[in-house]
Every structure is written in structure tokens, then in C-alpha cells.
Amino acid sequence: MDLCGLRLRNPTMLASGVLDETAATMVEVARAGAGAVVTKSVGRSPREGHANPCVVELDVGLLNAMGLPNPGIEYFSEEVKAVKREGVTVIGSVIGGSEDELAEVAALMADAGADAVELNLSCPHAKGLGTEIGSTPENVERVCRASKERIKVPLFAKLTPNTSSISNLAKAAEMGGADAVVAINTLKGMAISPEARMPILANRFGGLSGPAIRPIGVRCVYEIHDAVEIPVIGVGGISTGRDALEYIMAGATAVQVGTAVWTRGPGVFKSICDDISRFMDEYGYSKVDDMVGAAHDTKP
Amino acid sequence: MDLCGLRLRNPTMLASGVLDETAATMVEVARAGAGAVVTKSVGRSPREGHANPCVVELDVGLLNAMGLPNPGIEYFSEEVKAVKREGVTVIGSVIGGSEDELAEVAALMADAGADAVELNLSCPHAKGLGTEIGSTPENVERVCRASKERIKVPLFAKLTPNTSSISNLAKAAEMGGADAVVAINTLKGMAISPEARMPILANRFGGLSGPAIRPIGVRCVYEIHDAVEIPVIGVGGISTGRDALEYIMAGATAVQVGTAVWTRGPGVFKSICDDISRFMDEYGYSKVDDMVGAAHDTKP
Amino acid sequence: MTPSLRMLRVAEHRNETPWTKTIRFKDTVDARPGQFVMVWVPGVDEFPMSISYMGDRFGITYQIVGDGTKALSKAAEGDIVGIRGPFGRGFSITGKRILVVAGGAGIAPTAPLVEAATKKGVAVRLVLGAKSSAELVFENRCAAAGAEIHVSTDDGSKGQKGFATGLASSLIEKERYDSVYACGPERMIVAMTDICRKKGLPMQASVERIMKCGIGVCDSCALDGKHVCTDGPVFDLEELEKFSELGKTRLDRTGRKTGI
Amino acid sequence: MTPSLRMLRVAEHRNETPWTKTIRFKDTVDARPGQFVMVWVPGVDEFPMSISYMGDRFGITYQIVGDGTKALSKAAEGDIVGIRGPFGRGFSITGKRILVVAGGAGIAPTAPLVEAATKKGVAVRLVLGAKSSAELVFENRCAAAGAEIHVSTDDGSKGQKGFATGLASSLIEKERYDSVYACGPERMIVAMTDICRKKGLPMQASVERIMKCGIGVCDSCALDGKHVCTDGPVFDLEELEKFSELGKTRLDRTGRKTGI
Ligand SMILES: Cc1cc2nc3c(=O)[nH]c(=O)nc-3n(C[C@H](O)[C@H](O)[C@H](O)COP(=O)(O)OP(=O)(O)OC[C@H]3O[C@@H](n4cnc5c(N)ncnc54)[C@H](O)[C@@H]3O)c2cc1C
Ligand SMILES: Cc1cc2nc3c(=O)[nH]c(=O)nc-3n(C[C@H](O)[C@H](O)[C@H](O)COP(=O)(O)OP(=O)(O)OC[C@H]3O[C@@H](n4cnc5c(N)ncnc54)[C@H](O)[C@@H]3O)c2cc1C
Ligand SMILES: Cc1cc2nc3c(=O)[nH]c(=O)nc-3n(C[C@H](O)[C@H](O)[C@H](O)COP(=O)(O)O)c2cc1C
Ligand SMILES: Cc1cc2nc3c(=O)[nH]c(=O)nc-3n(C[C@H](O)[C@H](O)[C@H](O)COP(=O)(O)O)c2cc1C
Ligand code: FES
Ligand code: FES
């Protein structure tokens, strides 16, 4: 299938930040079935990320505050090249503390051979990065425009659901020249240990992912589909084909999977694709595209 | 215990919208153990609410679009009086499409004998109500002020998490004269049936509640506790004492319980209180107050 | 917290009478007689229906009364309908000899109740009431299950002329029952309650109220602080007698009590 | 998706050597030798530790190396520590006669491995290496379990002078083993891998890498595309041989490969 000119074997991708800090791992995940991989979000300089504990396992999902650890774009370019050598479609996720920094890292990511660049405008737990520069439409538009000017490959803007209107952010991304929007990143959350009388995460705040956020992600994609013309990539709590189909019918052209790699392993991509094929056979769809946004046609 | 001068048998309350449309039911829930009950949100005129389906049961919680059905404040005043006759502490939740309407209903609710009035500024799925008038700090402040002028009992403002900064909304409520803030209402969400290729809820959009939103609610209460001086009432995904303790240590003086009434029945209030007592015994707390906001003292 | 909505295909859709149809689904339900499901006709409405066929290829039997049931009546074999549930408390079958009184729209749970009872070796007398012979449902099915059938029709076109309660009352005078079961219009339930109270007979009846959530959160099905969706729809005599609203008022969709 | 964090009370905290301590918890763990837990010292750090006591009152045995372990070393009986896990793949015990080679920090999983093996009736030879006799851990415990113990110390203060690998190698020359197990510093593991490859002996070893999540999502423990937290920490010879990074590089906290 085709997404902004990218050829994908199937509509599933590995979401940014999950098993994608090293080339070897990304290649393993692609072999296990992901149609493409999105890299860990990478910035100009190396970052260690937050101290441990940086994850809390919940019954409804995962709370994480990795804090965007990454080896810096210079070092990471080699990882991207190594992934490309194996023929894997790779989308480079980038972070930056300012529009110039983001644009610079985006350009280096594209130079390294990434098939597309995804701006992470939505990490809810890293100071001066992510949400902090992606929470107003003005910023989103400005930042997209600056990055778009520096790269030839498609530009994706990954948006935050921690807002009163994600469709305004999506419109801004479209205005700024983004070729697609990715929704959603994690919801800002916290878990407290009453016994320790403190937040569990060293960073106190973290991002909630997994099944808990699927209804929110589906709603966001549905709203964005009504607001923009560019494709939407759905992410948030997908672990089965049925979950993916909710996003697709809400308007997603492709989906990303993160947390389900924890619960179901890298085999989750193949399993989702198999589920989707079975559904299409039973319900008489010949291509995924025919289902994209289908839930908008029939108003209940 | 004491909350803005209200005497509560225990720190749990029935959340607005769950088993609280009729006096008899509210009395039953209070008998089952709730320290107080918050009524269904009531407006000036009767509303039928949204068509069915209006709930979707999920593995992580509940999605509802009841659409604020209510018999109107005139009729409902009798229900409030009937609850009061049974000696139950009752907080009247009110809705309105404008600051005047809200203030008027608040006044009538207080006249009917409600021990406090809770402004629902946060329902995510009713046109012209709830979130639509509670999404900016300016509106929240204005609306609180108008209602505050009309009533003598304590005023609670129930806030939406569908925002980029709930602490700004809380500060506005405090400025507007609210005596406490209630956080959180549901997160705006959607569930789609791929087989039916449409959103399941007749209203398409609904509010997500239950375990899925607990980490978000705890984070909101934690942020609000840092931002305002007035008490915070925590709500969202509480079904055990440990869940309640997360909220209390984040800064909640009392908690409300909604969705867990579905999964655990009205006995959930007593069970939560028992859990809390056991915890206090084991960890050496003599009163709930000593735990309020405790997670702020020890920074991890 | 298990999602209960399932999208099921219609296996069979047949007329019972001109206004009553039965749908069987290509799926199984694990339920007790008297429990109900919420039936979603996508794009139209969702409403409660008692289960009229248990187990494999379970089914519902319904009267066409409004937009929702009209839309449902058009579902063809292979079409998709959403089902939530089963919900509620079903009948509990006690005793050796029981009387079942069923009439009109309340007929659906009767047949599985009768089947379950006779299967347990309980002797069943069934009073089946309808406006006319053309509107009688499940007569053959209940007879085949081994129940002794007594028919009453309002117009006398079959069986005894008059209301089911009259016929039931005369049976109660004649024979001893361990328990009485009533499915039908609320005035019939109220009448049976009076009879059973006087005779000191245990009784259970299935009651209807507006249902929105079906799972005990919305309070729309409230009946004197109890909830038809979770505490009912089947209540026993002790509960029925306590209801001040039974036969008198019900909540409308706004939560106001209105006359029945 | 089950939360695995438990807040547990310290039941006992004792010194094994001046720098090595064991904590037993007032709780149970259902784990296999070689599996590990993430240990949260509230307000300080969370880090991986192999389980050194299985079952009831399970425990960990650790060296004090930095801030986290130093803070842990101050935990008194009754204090609270957070435990996530058990995680990872443990050892699988195969064969009738095995050789276990353990040294330094890697000693923790050795004792439960030895205990599980002898309990199964497997003959165990244990090579226990340490810098000096004062730093030997679990010698008595493993002897009591029935293992034949061979001690080596770097300074010769007890047993044979030199490295554990030298002693292991000479045992392998003398006697046939069905399988070899190595717990210890990475250079020891690499050395044992060489020996076992040459001798055609099956082998398993427990490997350490930086762990952040412990559950296979963060990639920080990556080793040539495998993950120590979920695919390991125990790997077999075939896997160990394929690792180009083993003994050479590891990821630092930013995800850069650095020399070991
Ligand atoms: C527990 C229970 C079991 C039932 N079992 C059966 C059954 O087996 N067979 C059968 O024919 N009918 C049954 N009913 C009644 C059935 O739900 C209504 O006939 C149906 O909802 C009508 O829907 P409609 O859209 O066609 O009509 P509408 O035009 O929407 O309404 C017609 C009337 O149906 C009732 N009704 C409508 N919506 C609801 C609702 N959500 N909940 C309850 N009542 C409603 C009201 O009295 C209304 O005035 C049952 C009701 C309950 C509460
Ligand atoms: C699977 C596994 C099992 C282990 N089992 C044991 C054991 O049973 N006994 C024992 O003494 N040690 C064990 N370790 C090593 C132990 O995790 C470190 O000694 C500990 O993390 C040091 O923490 P610190 O804060 O005291 O030191 P720091 O000053 O933070 O670090 C000292 C050194 O410890 C290592 N380290 C620090 N943090 C981590 C981390 N999150 N993950 C992995 N390594 C880290 C690094 O090499 C670092 O340079 C194990 C490690 C792994 C990966
Ligand atoms: C451990 C972890 C690390 C993440 N790191 C990043 C990141 O670096 N950049 C980013 O854009 N999103 C990051 N995310 C968010 C995911 O890409 C994804 O948007 C979110 O988890 C929702 O999808 P899921 O429910 O399938 O996990 C991370 C998520 C997790 C769980
Ligand atoms: C069925 C249902 C109806 C609700 N109706 C209202 C309402 O009328 N007014 C209101 O302020 N909140 C309403 N809420 C939100 C709850 O009061 C509460 O804020 C939310 O559900 C989170 O708490 P919980 O997870 O314990 O349910 C409703 C929630 C549910 C599930
Ligand atoms: S239908 Fe909602 S409580 Fe019964
Ligand atoms: S520690 Fe995170 S993947 Fe292994």
C-alpha cells in the first residue's frame, strides 16, 4: 500500500519509542511483520532520559517516562543507514527544543536515508520538548513549515491528545506543510504508590499508552479526518486487527503499534494483519483503502 | 470528616450521573456506604438525553453518552428534598447553557436543600453544555462567580481533563469563588463497530470513564493541588481503596466513584472505606487528612 | 469489565403472528429464562428484549411497536445486529407444580421458562392470553415441551373468552401450585400479585421499564430504588409488593415519573 | 496486562561479605533460577537484580556499587521496597551432570540454580570464584545443597589461585559434563563460551545490560537485536556465539554502544 508515496508491505508500523533505539532491533521487528518502523525520537545531542523507574505496568496499559533517551542524530544516522541496508521502510522520529533545532535534526534524519520524518510534537513528559512545543496550533504550523523546507521526504506531525482540540493542531500541521498527521501520542498521567507515598515514576509524570487510550485515539482520528485532507496515521492502544479497524474506519490510512509489543510481542504485527485480512474477506472489502474513514459515511 | 463545612461520614461520594436520577436510588446508594451523593446533572428544563446506544462496555472502562437526561430542576427539587428527608448529604450537580442559566439552576438546587452545588463544566458529549462552557479559564471563572453570588452553600466546579492545562481551569474556578474543584470528568472518546462501520454510540462521541482514566485523573489532581488552595475532590477510575489512596495522596480531600458501581455494585463504597482503614492501620495514619497531598512531600 | 457487545448475524427471521417475529442468531448465549439482551439495530436504536431461545442459535421474539422494532423486522438472514448481555436476573424455578401466566408482549421469556421447568420434571400449567387466536404465540412450542395449555382470548376466538388473569384465577382455585410466574402487561402482573398475595402463593414476574444502559449505572429503569436491569427484570412477590410505583408510574426518558 | 509492582516489606537483611548483602522479603515469588526482578528503592532508583532465593521469603543478593545499591543497603527490617517481576527467561536444567561456573557479582542466581539442579537429582560441580576468601558467597549454601565445590581466588587466599575459568577448564578436561552454566563477569562468560564451543559442550550464561523497562519495550538492554530482559538474561551457547557485541560493547543510557 501507499502512504504519501511510501511503499508499505502492510498498514502496520512500529510506533516511535518502542524497540527502536538500535538498528538490529528495528530489523527484527520488521522481520516479525511490521510494514515500517518509526525510530525512537532522536535529537541533536545525546540524552540519557529520565532516571528509573521509568515505566509502570497497569492493568489498562502502560505509563512511561523514558524521557526521550537517544544517542543524538549524528550517531543515530548510522543506525538508520543500517536499517535501510536491510530494505526496511524507516520513518525517522525527531525532537528538538526549537523550530530550528527540529528542522536541523529532521534534515539530518532525511540525509541519513529515512523514508519519512516524523516530528514528535507530543511527548508529555520531557521538559522543553514534545508537547511543550506542540501544544498550540501556531507552534505546530511554524515548526512544520520550518522542517518541511529542509527535507524532500514526506513529513509527518505527531500530535498530542492533551489538548482541547486536536483537530486545530491537525489543521495547523496541514497548513505548515505536513504530509500526514500521526495521532495520538500518550496522555499525560501519573501513578502513585500509597505505600511509598510518592509518584512511582522518577519523573513523577509519564505518558499513558495501551488499551486505556484507544477510545481517545479513535475519537481523535475521527475528528482529524473531518478536519484535514492529508492522511492520518492512527496510534494508541492497538493490539488486535479489530482495534486497527476502529482506527481505519475512523479515518486512519495506516496504524502504529507500541505498547502491544509488550503484551503480545513483535508477532503482534502479523497477527493484526491476519485479523484485518480475515475481516475483509468476511465483510467483502478488497482493499484497506475502501475502509479508510468508512465510519463517517453511515451516521448512526 | 469535613469538606468545605460539609459533614461526611467518610471520604467517598457517588459521582454525578451514576444511579442518581431518583431519590430512592440515591438513598439506597447512601445506605450502601457512600458518604455523600452527587445528583445527576440537572438543568432548567427536562432533557431526554441522547438516543440509545448510550453506553459501550470496554475492557478498560465505560464509554457513555447519556446526554445529560434529567427531569429539569423544578421537578428534581422534590427528589432532592426526598433525599434530604432521609438524612443523606447531597450535592446537587447542575448544568446550563449560559452563565445565567447555570446560576439560576444552582440557586434553585440550593433552595431545594442541596448541601452543596457542583457545576458540571465538563460533560464532553452534550451540545452547548458541559465542556462547551467549561473549556477556557475565562469562562470557568465567570460562570463560577455568577453562581457563587446566588448561593450560600459551598460551590464545587467540576472540571474537564480534555484540555492542555487543567490547573489553569482550577485556578480560574478558585478566582471565581469556587469552594472546591472536582476532577475529573470523562475523557472524550469513541468506539467504532467495524462490522456496522459506524460509531457505536448514537451520539458518536462519548465520555470515557473507569480504570482507563485513573492515571489521568491522579495526574490532574496532583497538578491542581499544586495550583490552588481550595480542596480538590478526586474522581476517575476509583474502584478500590488503593485507587482512592492514589487520589488522596495526589491531593484529594475526598473522592467520587462512578463506573465502579457498574463493576462492583453499590457495595463498592464500603469496600473502599474498609481498604482505606486497613491501609491507615498498617501504615500508621490516624486520619485521612494526614494523607491528603502526601505524595507531594517526598519527591522521588 | 468485559465488553459484552457482539455483532451477530441473523440465522433465521420468521413471523409468529402478523405483529410478532422471532429472530434466531448465529451464536450462542449462556443465559437463564427471564434474562434479556440489549439489541442494537445499527443506525436506528438499541432496546431491551427478553431471550426467547436459549443456548445455540439463541433468539428473541418481539412485537413491532415503533421505529426500532420496525427496522429490526427488516433484518434479513445474514444481516448484522448488535447484542449486549445477557443482563439481569432470570426466573428461579422452584417447586413441583407451577402456573405460568403469559399474555401479549410479555410472552417472549415464557417459552424458555416452560422448557426449563418441564426439563427439570416440574409440572407446568400455562395460561396463554392474547387478543385473538391470530395473536397467540408459542402455543405449540410450550405444548411440545409438555406444559398443559389453557388459552384465553379477549374476543373468544380461541379458548376461554376474557383475560388471562381470570383464567389463571380459576385454575388457582381448582389446583394447588408451588409457584406462579407472570410475564405480560403490568396490569396483569399487578392483578396476579393481588391473587397470589391473597392465596399466599410464591410468585415471580418480569417487569419492563425504559432501559438505557442495561448495566445498572443510569438509573433510567429505576423502580423504587431497585433497578430492572440488574435487580430484575424478574422480581418476586415480596419485592413486587413493596414497589409503590408498580402499575402506577414509570420514569420517562427524562427521569420524570409518568402514569402507566 | 497485569501490574507487577508490589511494595514488599524487608523480612531480613544480612551481610554475605563486606560488599555483598542479601535481602529476604515478606512475600513469595514464583520464578525460575536465572529470572530477575526490578528493585525500586523509593526516591532513589530502580535496578535489576537476580533472584537468589526462590519461593517463600524470596530474596536478592547484591553488591554495593553505586547510589542505588548503597541506599538499598540501608533498608531495615520492615522497610518497604518495590519489586516488579519476575522477568526474563531463566536457566533450563538439562542433563545428569553439570558444571556451574560462578564469579563475582554474577553469583546471585547460582545458588538457586544449584539447589534446583541437585533437587532434580543432577550431579553438580560448582566452581566458585572470588577475589579473596572474604568475598566468597554461598559456598556453604551450595555445599549443603549437595554440590561439589571447587574454589578459586585471585589472591590464592582460598582454593586454587587464579581465575574461575582456569579451574573450570581443568575440570572440563578431567570429567564429562552434560551442560555448563556460567554466571559472572562478561569476560568470564566469553572465556567459557570459547571453552565450551571447542569441547562441543552445551552451555547457558546469564548476561547483564542496562535495564530501564524490564519488559521488552525500551530497547535499552538490546544485544544484537535480542533483549536481555525478555529473551534473556539467560542465553544458550548458540545465541551467545551469534552475539557480535558480547564481551565487546554495551549500550549506555543514551543508546550508544560503548566498550565494555
Ligand atoms: C427487560 C425488558 C424485556 C423486554 N422484552 C421484550 C420482548 O421480549 N419482546 C418485545 O416485543 N418487547 C420486549 N420489551 C419491550 C421492548 O423493549 C420495546 O417494545 C421496544 O423497545 C420498542 O422499541 P421501538 O423502537 O420499536 O419503539 P419506540 O417507538 O421507541 O417505543 C415504543 C414503546 O416501547 C417502550 N420502549 C422503547 N424504548 C425502550 C427502551 N429502551 N427500554 C424499554 N422500553 C422501551 C416504551 O414503552 C415505548 O413507549 C422488553 C422490555 C424490557 C424492559
Ligand atoms: C539481569 C540482571 C541481573 C542482575 N543481578 C544482579 C545481582 O543479582 N546482584 C548484583 O549485585 N547485581 C546484579 N545486577 C547488576 C545491578 O543491576 C547493578 O549493580 C545495579 O544496577 C547498580 O545500581 P547502583 O545504583 O548501585 O549503581 P550505579 O552507580 O547506578 O551503577 C553502577 C553500575 O551498575 C550497572 N547498572 C546501573 N544501573 C543499571 C540498570 N538499570 N540496569 C543494569 N545495570 C545497571 C552499570 O554497569 C553501572 O555502571 C544485575 C543486572 C542485570 C541486568
Ligand atoms: C516506552 C514508550 C516510549 C515511547 N517513546 C516515544 C518517543 O520517543 N517518541 C514518540 O513520538 N512517541 C513515543 N511513545 C509513544 C508511542 O509512540 C505511541 O504514540 C503511544 O504509546 C500510543 O500507542 P500504543 O498505545 O500503541 O503504545 C512511547 C511510548 C512508549 C510506551
Ligand atoms: C453513565 C455516566 C453518566 C455520567 N453523567 C454525568 C453527569 O450527568 N454529570 C457529571 O458531572 N458527570 C457525569 N459522569 C461522569 C462521572 O461523574 C465521573 O466524573 C466519571 O465517570 C469518572 O469517574 P468514574 O471513572 O468513577 O466513573 C457520568 C459518568 C457515567 C459513567
Ligand atoms: S437501564 Fe441503566 S440502570 Fe437500568
Ligand atoms: S530493559 Fe527495556 S527492552 Fe529490555
Side-chain angles (χ1 to χ4, degrees):
Chain A
M1 51 166 301
D2 174 276
L3 172 70
C4 308
L6 259 70
R7 300 270 327 138
L8 302 180
R9 262 195 303 161
N10 66 56
T12 68
M13 308 176 185
L14 176 65
S16 179
V18 173
L19 292 194
D20 49 10
E21 205 171 44
T22 61
T25 303
M26 286 185 265
V27 171
E28 290 275 328
V29 175
R31 290 214 176 112
V37 297
V38 185
T39 70
K40 179 82 206 159
S41 295
V42 175
R44 191 156 56 185
S45 339
R47 269 177 72 94
E48 294 209 338
H50 298 314
N52 283 6
C54 53
V55 298
V56 185
E57 306 149 74
L58 303 168
D59 46 2
V60 296
L62 191 66
L63 193 65
N64 93 82
M66 302 311 304
L68 301 171
N70 76 86
I73 186 64
E74 198 183 322
Y75 178 99
F76 198 76
S77 293
E78 298 307 316
E79 302 288 313
V80 173
K81 285 175 195 160
V83 179
K84 285 307 310 166
R85 276 196 297 275
E86 301 294 323
V88 173
T89 302
V90 55
I91 295 148
S93 172
V94 297
I95 42 167
S98 68
E99 97 191 53
D100 289 342
E101 192 180 325
L102 252 180
E104 187 192 327
V105 183
L108 292 169
M109 187 60 95
D111 290 349
D115 296 291
V117 171
E118 180 175 298
L119 302 183
N120 175 353
L121 307 176
S122 40
C123 177
H125 52 74
K127 254 204 124 34
L129 300 168
T131 301
E132 301 201 6
I133 68 160
S135 62
T136 64
E138 298 68 36
N139 277 357
V140 167
E141 181 178 344
R142 205 161 37 77
V143 155
C144 287
R145 182 163 295 126
S147 290
K148 182 68 186 171
E149 278 168 9
R150 303 279 298 269
I151 62 172
K152 294 218 175 58
V153 294
L155 180 73
F156 300 169
K158 184 166 178 186
L159 303 177
T160 179
N162 299 289
T163 173
S164 53
S165 168
I166 199 169
S167 44
N168 286 346
L169 299 181
K171 280 188 235 167
E174 183 175 44
M175 293 284 290
D179 299 288
V181 294
V182 182
I184 55 175
N185 209 315
T186 52
L187 273 285
K188 193 174 179 189
M190 175 181 280
I192 286 173
S193 163
E195 297 82 6
R197 52 185 286 162
M198 67 173 77
I200 299 172
L201 295 172
N203 186 57
R204 295 183 291 154
F205 302 102
L208 179 64
S209 61
I213 69 169
R214 193 175 74 241
I216 301 167
V218 169
R219 181 267 297 175
C220 287
V221 168
Y222 190 97
E223 288 179 342
I224 294 171
H225 181 87
D226 275 342
V228 300
E229 301 292 323
I230 53 177
V232 190
I233 298 162
V235 51
I238 297 172
S239 67
T240 66
R242 222 170 165 287
D243 299 341
L245 286 165
E246 281 200 69
Y247 274 96
I248 291 168
M249 294 213 172
T253 304
V255 295
Q256 298 179 351
V257 177
T259 304
V261 172
W262 161 44
T263 46
R264 311 196 53 211
V268 67
F269 297 96
K270 180 167 178 339
S271 144
I272 289 173
C273 293
D274 291 349
D275 285 353
I276 294 179
S277 302
R278 260 193 306 275
F279 177 88
M280 290 173 66
D281 285 351
E282 183 175 347
Y283 287 85
Y285 294 97
S286 57
K287 47 189 205 302
V288 172
D289 265 358
D290 295 342
M291 302 188 291
V292 174
H296 293 257
D297 310 341
T298 7
K299 291 276 159 62
Chain B
M1 54 167 297
D2 175 276
L3 173 70
C4 308
L6 259 69
R7 300 270 330 140
L8 302 180
R9 261 195 305 160
N10 66 55
T12 67
M13 307 177 186
L14 176 65
S16 178
V18 174
L19 292 194
D20 50 10
E21 206 170 42
T22 60
T25 303
M26 286 184 267
V27 171
E28 291 274 327
V29 174
R31 292 217 174 110
V37 298
V38 185
T39 69
K40 178 83 207 160
S41 294
V42 174
R44 192 157 52 185
S45 338
R47 271 176 70 93
E48 295 210 337
H50 299 312
N52 283 6
C54 54
V55 298
V56 185
E57 306 148 73
L58 303 168
D59 44 4
V60 297
L62 191 66
L63 193 65
N64 92 82
M66 303 311 305
L68 301 172
N70 76 85
I73 185 62
E74 198 183 321
Y75 178 99
F76 199 76
S77 294
E78 298 306 316
E79 303 288 313
V80 173
K81 286 175 194 159
V83 179
K84 284 307 308 165
R85 275 196 297 274
E86 301 294 322
V88 173
T89 301
V90 56
I91 295 147
S93 172
V94 299
I95 41 169
S98 68
E99 97 194 49
D100 289 343
E101 191 179 326
L102 252 179
E104 186 192 327
V105 182
L108 292 169
M109 186 60 94
D111 289 349
D115 296 289
V117 171
E118 180 175 298
L119 302 183
N120 174 353
L121 308 175
S122 41
C123 176
H125 53 72
K127 251 200 130 37
L129 300 169
T131 300
E132 302 199 7
I133 69 159
S135 63
T136 65
E138 297 70 35
N139 277 357
V140 168
E141 182 178 341
R142 206 160 34 79
V143 155
C144 287
R145 179 160 299 127
S147 291
K148 183 66 186 171
E149 279 167 11
R150 303 279 299 269
I151 63 172
K152 294 217 176 58
V153 295
L155 179 72
F156 301 170
K158 183 165 179 188
L159 304 177
T160 179
N162 300 289
T163 172
S164 52
S165 168
I166 198 167
S167 43
N168 286 345
L169 299 181
K171 279 188 236 168
E174 184 176 43
M175 292 284 291
D179 299 287
V181 294
V182 182
I184 57 177
N185 209 314
T186 52
L187 273 285
K188 191 174 179 189
M190 175 180 282
I192 287 173
S193 163
E195 297 82 5
R197 52 185 284 163
M198 66 173 79
I200 299 171
L201 295 172
N203 185 55
R204 294 184 291 156
F205 302 102
L208 180 65
S209 61
I213 69 169
R214 193 176 72 242
I216 300 167
V218 170
R219 180 266 297 174
C220 287
V221 168
Y222 189 96
E223 287 178 344
I224 295 170
H225 181 86
D226 275 342
V228 301
E229 301 294 322
I230 54 179
V232 190
I233 299 162
V235 49
I238 297 172
S239 67
T240 66
R242 223 172 165 285
D243 300 342
L245 286 164
E246 283 199 67
Y247 274 95
I248 290 168
M249 295 216 171
T253 303
V255 296
Q256 297 179 354
V257 177
T259 303
V261 173
W262 161 44
T263 46
R264 309 196 55 209
V268 68
F269 297 96
K270 178 167 178 345
S271 144
I272 289 172
C273 294
D274 291 348
D275 286 353
I276 293 178
S277 303
R278 259 193 307 275
F279 177 88
M280 289 173 64
D281 285 349
E282 183 175 346
Y283 287 85
Y285 294 95
S286 57
K287 48 187 204 302
V288 171
D289 264 0
D290 295 341
M291 302 189 290
V292 174
H296 293 256
D297 310 340
T298 5
K299 290 277 159 59
Chain C
M1 214 159 342
T2 353
S4 78
L5 175 63
R6 294 183 290 167
M7 302 303 295
L8 302 181
R9 290 195 188 274
V10 174
E12 186 195 330
H13 201 165
R14 63 163 194 264
N15 293 321
E16 301 284 356
T17 75
W19 298 108
T20 309
K21 300 187 84 173
T22 289
I23 294 189
R24 307 286 299 265
F25 296 101
K26 290 192 176 148
D27 218 301
T28 299
V29 79
D30 182 18
R32 296 175 56 177
Q35 286 193 289
F36 69 96
V37 290
M38 293 296 287
V39 178
W40 177 36
V41 187
V44 186
D45 199 357
E46 188 196 43
F47 41 75
M49 287 288 161
S50 300
I51 300 169
S52 64
Y53 286 89
M54 301 281 145
D56 239 38
R57 294 200 343 133
F58 82 95
I60 56 172
T61 299
Y62 64 97
Q63 290 194 326
I64 301 170
V65 298
D67 289 347
T69 45
K70 191 181 289 167
L72 182 62
S73 74
K74 305 220 168 87
E77 195 189 313
D79 279 1
I80 275 186
V81 173
I83 296 288
R84 287 197 292 132
F87 294 127
R89 213 168 53 160
F91 291 103
S92 69
I93 301 170
T94 50
K96 296 234 149 77
R97 179 191 298 274
I98 66 173
L99 177 69
V100 179
V101 188
I107 191 74
T110 306
L113 169 65
V114 166
E115 284 169 350
T118 54
K119 206 172 156 194
K120 271 183 78 180
V122 175
V124 179
R125 304 285 178 271
L126 170 66
V127 173
L128 214 49
K131 286 205 181 116
S132 71
S133 68
E135 288 177 38
L136 273 171
V137 181
F138 291 149
E139 185 185 354
N140 295 340
R141 187 177 159 203
C142 292
E148 183 186 296
I149 317 264
H150 300 259
V151 169
S152 78
T153 52
D154 299 1
D155 64 1
S157 53
K158 188 164 184 189
Q160 182 172 316
K161 186 170 169 124
F163 294 137
T165 43
L167 185 48
S169 168
S170 59
L171 283 169
I172 288 173
E173 293 300 332
K174 271 194 292 208
E175 208 180 21
R176 236 201 58 75
Y177 298 98
D178 297 320
S179 200
V180 175
Y181 297 80
C183 317
E186 204 149 312
R187 60 178 190 299
M188 183 191 105
I189 292 170
V190 172
M192 290 309 302
T193 310
D194 288 339
I195 296 171
C196 291
R197 185 195 310 114
K198 276 181 213 139
K199 293 279 165 192
L201 282 176
M203 172 188 160
Q204 293 168 43
S206 173
V207 175
E208 295 185 7
R209 281 296 178 273
I210 290 285
M211 294 212 170
K212 293 185 175 181
C213 74
I215 56 174
V217 299
C218 76
D219 213 15
S220 76
C221 68
L223 185 58
D224 290 293
K226 295 272 174 217
H227 296 91
V228 174
C229 66
T230 47
D231 301 312
V234 175
F235 294 98
D236 63 25
L237 186 57
E238 216 192 329
E239 294 166 315
L240 293 165
E241 285 187 293
K242 271 200 215 124
F243 291 143
S244 67
E245 300 170 12
L246 191 75
K248 302 202 185 74
T249 61
R250 53 191 291 165
L251 298 181
D252 66 13
R253 290 187 64 86
T254 74
R256 286 168 178 245
K257 276 183 201 137
T258 47
I260 273 187
Chain D
M1 213 155 346
T2 353
S4 78
L5 175 64
R6 294 183 289 166
M7 302 304 294
L8 302 182
R9 289 198 188 272
V10 174
E12 184 195 333
H13 201 165
R14 65 164 193 262
N15 294 321
E16 302 284 356
T17 75
W19 298 110
T20 309
K21 300 188 85 171
T22 289
I23 295 188
R24 306 286 298 266
F25 296 101
K26 289 191 177 148
D27 218 304
T28 300
V29 79
D30 182 18
R32 297 174 55 174
Q35 286 193 288
F36 70 97
V37 289
M38 294 295 288
V39 179
W40 177 37
V41 187
V44 186
D45 199 359
E46 188 197 44
F47 40 77
M49 287 289 162
S50 301
I51 299 167
S52 64
Y53 285 89
M54 301 282 145
D56 240 35
R57 294 200 343 132
F58 81 95
I60 56 171
T61 299
Y62 65 97
Q63 292 194 327
I64 301 169
V65 299
D67 289 348
T69 45
K70 191 180 291 167
L72 182 62
S73 74
K74 307 219 166 91
E77 196 189 312
D79 279 1
I80 276 189
V81 173
I83 296 287
R84 289 196 290 132
F87 294 128
R89 211 168 55 162
F91 290 104
S92 70
I93 301 169
T94 51
K96 296 233 149 71
R97 180 191 297 275
I98 65 172
L99 177 67
V100 179
V101 188
I107 191 74
T110 306
L113 169 64
V114 166
E115 285 170 349
T118 55
K119 204 173 157 193
K120 271 183 78 177
V122 175
V124 179
R125 304 286 179 271
L126 171 64
V127 173
L128 214 48
K131 286 206 182 115
S132 71
S133 66
E135 290 179 37
L136 274 169
V137 182
F138 291 149
E139 185 184 354
N140 295 341
R141 186 176 162 203
C142 292
E148 182 187 298
I149 316 264
H150 301 260
V151 169
S152 78
T153 50
D154 299 1
D155 64 2
S157 53
K158 185 162 186 190
Q160 182 171 316
K161 184 170 166 100
F163 293 138
T165 42
L167 184 48
S169 168
S170 59
L171 283 170
I172 288 174
E173 292 299 334
K174 272 198 289 208
E175 208 180 22
R176 235 201 57 73
Y177 298 99
D178 298 320
S179 201
V180 175
Y181 298 81
C183 316
E186 203 151 314
R187 59 178 191 298
M188 185 192 103
I189 292 170
V190 172
M192 289 310 301
T193 311
D194 288 340
I195 296 171
C196 290
R197 186 195 309 114
K198 275 183 209 131
K199 292 279 168 192
L201 281 176
M203 171 186 162
Q204 292 167 43
S206 174
V207 174
E208 294 183 6
R209 282 293 179 276
I210 290 284
M211 294 211 171
K212 294 184 175 181
C213 73
I215 56 172
V217 299
C218 77
D219 214 13
S220 76
C221 68
L223 184 57
D224 290 292
K226 293 272 175 223
H227 296 91
V228 173
C229 67
T230 46
D231 302 314
V234 175
F235 294 99
D236 63 24
L237 186 57
E238 216 192 329
E239 294 166 315
L240 294 165
E241 284 187 294
K242 271 200 215 125
F243 291 143
S244 66
E245 299 169 12
L246 192 76
K248 300 201 186 76
T249 62
R250 53 191 292 164
L251 300 182
D252 65 14
R253 288 187 66 87
T254 73
R256 288 169 175 241
K257 275 180 200 138
T258 46
I260 272 186

